[in-house]
Amino acid sequence: MKLDMPENFIQDIITEDLKEGKNGGKVQTRFPPEPNGYLHIGHAKSICLNFGLAEANGGLCNLRFDDTNPTKEDIEYVESIKEDVRWLGFDWDDRCYYASDYFDRLYEFAIQLIKAGKAYVCDLSPQEIKEYRGTLTEPGKESPYRNRSVEENLDLFRRMRAGEFPDGSRTLRAKIDMASPNLNMRDPVLYRIVHAPHHRTGDKWCIYPMYDFAHPLSDALEQITHSICTLEFADHRPLYDWIIENVDFSDVGPIKPKQIEFARLNLSHTVMSKRKLRLLVERGYVSGWDDPRMPTIAGLRRRGYTPEAIRNFCERIGVARRNSVVDIAFLEHCVREDLNRRAPRIMAVLRPLRVVIDNYPEGQVEWLEAENNPENPDMGTRRVPFSKVLYIEREDFMEDPPKKFFRLAPGREVRLKNAYIIKCDRVVKDQRTGQVTELHCTYDPETKSGSPGAGRKVKVTIHWVSAAHAIEAEVRLYDHLFRSENPDELEDFIADLNPNSLERLTSCMVEPSITGASAGNRYQFLRQGYFCVDPDSSAGKLVFNRIVTLRDEWAKMAGSSDK
RNA sequence: UGGGGCGUAGCCAAGCGGAAAGGCAAGGGACUUUGGAUCCCUGAUUCGUAGGUUCGAAUCCUACCGCCCCAGCCA
């Protein structure tokens, strides 16, 4: 996987380190997800960064599951995470690690700290620890258990491990500084007692290391040179460094990992926290983690996004320390750009309006040639059937058109893509509702595409499908999940859900060349957007997801003031 | 009122003492058998504010203002 990483401040740091000969010229990164939820596009940014930086600097990136909290993690998530990282196009070879694989060594490191008088077993309850911690503006108080002897600490810690004490009754704490202005340094908990089975280590442990202890040491064990994480961990860096400096792991290697923080990705019109995404899934606001409206990798994949588009997006948004909200329009731009080059064109009528070509011979069928992708002639051509009765898009006809409407109207002409110019002669309406039910048109036989007479200009070209040959399909149209640009800052983000984020059209008509399409296939429906075959499709019925619309000048005009 | 971060166009984002990159969005035009694509053009006399240093400041200094994060035995 080759990423064209633009320069960023982390690359600057790496470049500087390399110049100074740090770490023997080695660059080693890691992507460390906690298996407690599905990956989303924010993780994609981190994945691209970690794998990209490693690759750009001749190094490697490990996949490491940060699974130190058995009560929140599950094997289901590790499988989905692996699938998503792989799908994005990254390869960790045989370097898939688990913090839980290090539990034995981490335990030894803890013993080491105890022996050095730098950690102690504390009997304070969770509530007491909180009270002793102090506040943002006042220093904390030292635990009465802070100065136990090394022997007693060793004994107690071994018994913690042996399961002699109930959950919450004791912890192992680092002995640092209860008066530190950085709360993370006020004797942070290193180990807690949790009598819960772990998805990988089973019942072997009843004490589990905290992130602040496990993470720097896992990095050390893997000899990570640059440990990249998000901004909220900046306050933890002094603790990260304290662990690295106070634990002796020189037998594993000389590299002392350094933590570097960057701003996580926020996307407009969606939420990114696992908690909120889980809520959407659990309360049924979406169909699942892979609902095509979700910003999860699984959701984007099902929607039809390509890994290339997502990677390109991640590379182009930049890496900085400033909190920001990237406009989702930029993500959409990235897929359009990718799909414009790759997606074959086909004609599909989403909201059919029947058109009868009065002067076209009954029963005649012409198979007309159509380009598969004007951007790429190598993609070849196909034949589409033309006959007397067609469907066109309801939106492509207006009985009383406004000034800028160039499409079909009584007495007006349009070109049918790859076919003929037709003229609208008569409008048939439902007597009761007044709804237009059918158009009668005449075609100009001289204007067949490719023929000498085809040069005649009309204002616009529309798509169509032969009624007798059309394949009926369901099409799901998606819009932003939330109405607000930044639902995250709302008191009640659920109330901001876009009621129109999904529209299902069940009687769409697609040209017959679609026959045989399978889940995951992507197409451009001419003039409408990019669509992807959904796994819900069955032999009898295709289901499409709209990935993204095409840019639409007319929609912009129509959407504004005078329609 | 403690500590840690961050303020460059509507949204991202380069810039690191010597005349404010680029992308998205927006607007205008050319072209077009997709109102698609493509191609042109239009934006900051100014970088949160105010002072200061300097021949010269978005870049250095000072003060102020604003926003984000931290008081889980979560990560």
Side-chain angles (χ1 to χ4, degrees):
Chain A
M1 170 83 296
K2 186 63 187 175
L3 284 180
D4 180 24
M5 289 294 292
E7 292 290 299
N8 59 60
F9 80 98
I10 301 179
Q11 177 62 64
D12 292 344
I13 291 169
I14 292 174
T15 301
E16 189 61 25
D17 289 348
L18 256 19
K19 201 169 69 187
E20 291 174 11
K22 281 189 188 165
N23 304 318
K26 180 184 168 191
V27 173
Q28 175 71 243
T29 58
R30 101 267 91 116
F31 171 61
E34 182 189 12
N36 69 340
Y38 280 68
L39 257 29
H40 53 62
I41 184 133
H43 293 108
K45 176 181 179 182
S46 175
I47 292 165
C48 290
L49 230 202
N50 277 295
F51 280 90
L53 248 12
E55 151 119 34
N57 294 282
L60 294 170
C61 178
N62 301 342
L63 173 61
R64 180 171 75 228
F65 289 95
D66 216 335
D67 55 351
T68 57
N69 185 351
T71 64
K72 291 193 175 170
E73 296 149 8
D74 195 279
I75 193 76
E76 171 198 0
Y77 298 119
V78 348
E79 289 314 317
S80 78
I81 289 168
K82 284 186 187 175
E83 181 187 0
D84 290 347
V85 176
R86 222 180 276 123
W87 179 77
L88 278 171
F90 298 99
D91 186 6
W92 54 84
D93 291 311
D94 56 349
R95 301 180 316 285
C96 174
Y97 303 127
Y98 296 81
S100 55
D101 285 348
Y102 307 141
F103 283 172
D104 283 297
R105 276 186 280 188
L106 294 174
Y107 179 79
E108 290 307 318
F109 285 141
I111 297 283
Q112 197 191 111
L113 281 180
I114 293 171
K115 286 180 174 169
K118 292 171 178 171
Y120 62 97
V121 172
C122 181
D123 300 359
L124 257 24
S125 70
Q127 180 56 32
E128 289 168 326
I129 285 188
K130 183 174 178 168
E131 286 159 11
Y132 275 67
R133 186 153 35 223
T135 69
L136 294 178
T137 52
E138 305 156 28
K141 285 185 305 188
E142 295 189 347
S143 163
Y145 306 98
R146 198 173 201 255
N147 296 307
R148 293 218 245 229
S149 69
V150 167
E151 292 65 36
E152 186 179 9
N153 282 321
L154 248 18
D155 175 60
L156 253 14
F157 189 50
R158 282 197 257 263
R159 289 167 62 194
M160 276 170 65
R161 178 189 185 175
E164 292 187 24
F165 312 117
D167 289 5
S169 60
R170 279 177 235 261
T171 55
L172 181 73
R173 295 227 258 163
K175 191 187 285 188
I176 307 182
D177 177 9
M178 288 308 291
S180 172
N182 182 338
L183 306 212
N184 295 121
M185 300 298 270
R186 317 238 266 225
D187 288 10
V189 172
L190 267 21
Y191 266 90
R192 75 285 215 185
I193 300 171
V194 179
H195 289 270
H198 185 280
H199 60 97
R200 299 194 86 242
T201 60
D203 294 323
K204 180 174 178 187
W205 298 89
C206 62
I207 57 172
Y208 292 92
M210 298 288 289
Y211 167 88
D212 284 315
F213 185 68
H215 205 90
L217 292 171
S218 297
D219 285 342
L221 289 168
E222 292 174 25
Q223 289 287 280
I224 299 299
T225 56
H226 303 268
S227 180
I228 299 165
C229 64
T230 45
L231 241 34
E232 65 271 27
F233 292 101
D235 285 338
H236 295 240
R237 193 180 344 121
L239 177 51
Y240 184 101
D241 292 339
W242 186 93
I243 296 288
I244 291 299
E245 288 307 320
N246 288 282
V247 172
D248 178 10
F249 52 84
S250 54
D251 58 314
V252 338
I255 290 171
K256 290 186 175 179
K258 290 274 184 285
Q259 175 179 303
I260 303 170
E261 314 87 22
F262 72 98
R264 56 156 21 106
L265 169 66
N266 294 296
L267 248 199
S268 70
H269 301 287
T270 190
V271 293
M272 213 68 98
S273 85
K274 281 183 192 170
R275 194 201 114 236
K276 289 179 178 172
L277 292 174
R278 182 175 292 108
L279 197 72
L280 294 176
V281 173
E282 288 173 353
R283 292 208 196 151
Y285 293 113
V286 295
S287 64
W289 288 99
D290 70 341
D291 185 297
R293 293 165 293 181
M294 292 282 273
T296 50
I297 302 301
L300 292 165
R301 176 169 58 231
R302 181 163 178 184
R303 174 81 166 255
Y305 271 75
T306 60
E308 290 81 359
I310 293 172
R311 270 188 261 126
N312 187 246
F313 169 78
C314 291
E315 290 155 24
R316 295 213 269 165
I317 51 176
V319 181
R321 294 177 64 88
R322 169 180 2 180
N323 291 315
S324 62
V325 181
V326 174
D327 193 335
I328 199 165
F330 185 52
L331 211 213
E332 294 168 349
H333 164 81
C334 290
V335 232
R336 275 194 202 99
E337 189 177 64
D338 187 32
L339 261 16
N340 177 48
R341 291 182 285 112
R342 339 204 308 191
R345 272 58 170 169
I346 107 179
M347 293 196 283
V349 175
L350 267 29
R351 298 174 180 86
L353 173 59
R354 193 177 144 92
V355 170
V356 179
I357 310 295
D358 289 328
N359 62 338
Y360 196 82
E362 189 85 45
Q364 179 173 314
V365 177
E366 284 178 275
W367 288 80
L368 306 170
E369 186 171 56
E371 271 182 311
N372 287 330
N373 187 341
E375 298 297 314
N376 181 3
D378 290 346
M379 290 176 74
T381 61
R382 68 186 184 288
R383 300 261 171 194
V384 293
F386 184 86
S387 64
K388 187 179 180 72
V389 181
L390 315 170
Y391 290 116
I392 66 166
E393 207 67 55
R394 289 203 93 90
E395 284 184 356
D396 286 341
F397 172 80
M398 277 187 123
E399 195 174 12
D400 183 22
K403 42 256 124 211
K404 290 289 187 59
F405 185 86
F406 301 148
R407 281 110 97 148
L408 207 55
R412 298 228 299 225
E413 287 186 321
V414 294
R415 170 169 287 284
L416 296 179
K417 178 72 176 175
N418 300 126
Y420 301 92
I421 289 174
I422 60 168
K423 180 178 181 182
C424 177
D425 300 318
R426 188 159 62 84
V427 180
V428 180
K429 295 194 217 176
D430 182 296
Q431 302 259 355
R432 302 169 50 91
T433 66
Q435 242 237 326
V436 176
T437 55
E438 182 177 286
L439 263 27
H440 282 264
C441 298
T442 46
Y443 83 115
D444 179 350
E446 301 304 307
T447 58
K448 180 171 173 177
S449 286
S451 73
R456 185 150 72 86
K457 300 291 181 202
V458 288
K459 275 287 199 182
V460 84
T461 298
I462 66 172
H463 58 95
W464 52 277
V465 111
S466 167
H469 303 82
I471 307 289
E472 199 171 317
E474 173 177 334
V475 175
R476 298 171 183 170
L477 305 180
Y478 301 104
D479 195 357
H480 302 149
L481 230 200
F482 293 90
R483 291 176 295 195
S484 300
E485 222 164 80
N486 193 358
D488 251 328
E489 64 190 15
L490 267 31
E491 54 323 304
D492 179 11
F493 79 107
I494 292 293
D496 189 52
L497 277 163
N498 177 3
N500 305 313
S501 62
L502 166 61
E503 182 179 4
R504 298 162 68 119
L505 302 176
T506 51
S507 306
C508 307
M509 299 295 176
V510 190
E511 66 169 70
S513 71
I514 196 65
T515 307
S518 52
N521 288 176
R522 304 180 186 88
Y523 303 87
Q524 182 197 98
F525 286 0
L526 231 56
R527 301 205 306 136
Q528 303 191 99
Y530 296 96
F531 295 78
C532 182
V533 179
D534 189 87
D536 280 352
S537 299
S538 59
K541 182 139 187 184
L542 284 170
V543 177
F544 291 91
N545 294 314
R546 184 172 67 195
I547 306 165
V548 67
T549 61
L550 251 28
R551 291 185 66 223
D552 188 345
E553 296 293 328
W554 165 246
K556 268 191 230 166
M557 286 189 290
S560 65
S561 58
D562 64 326
K563 176 138 177 173

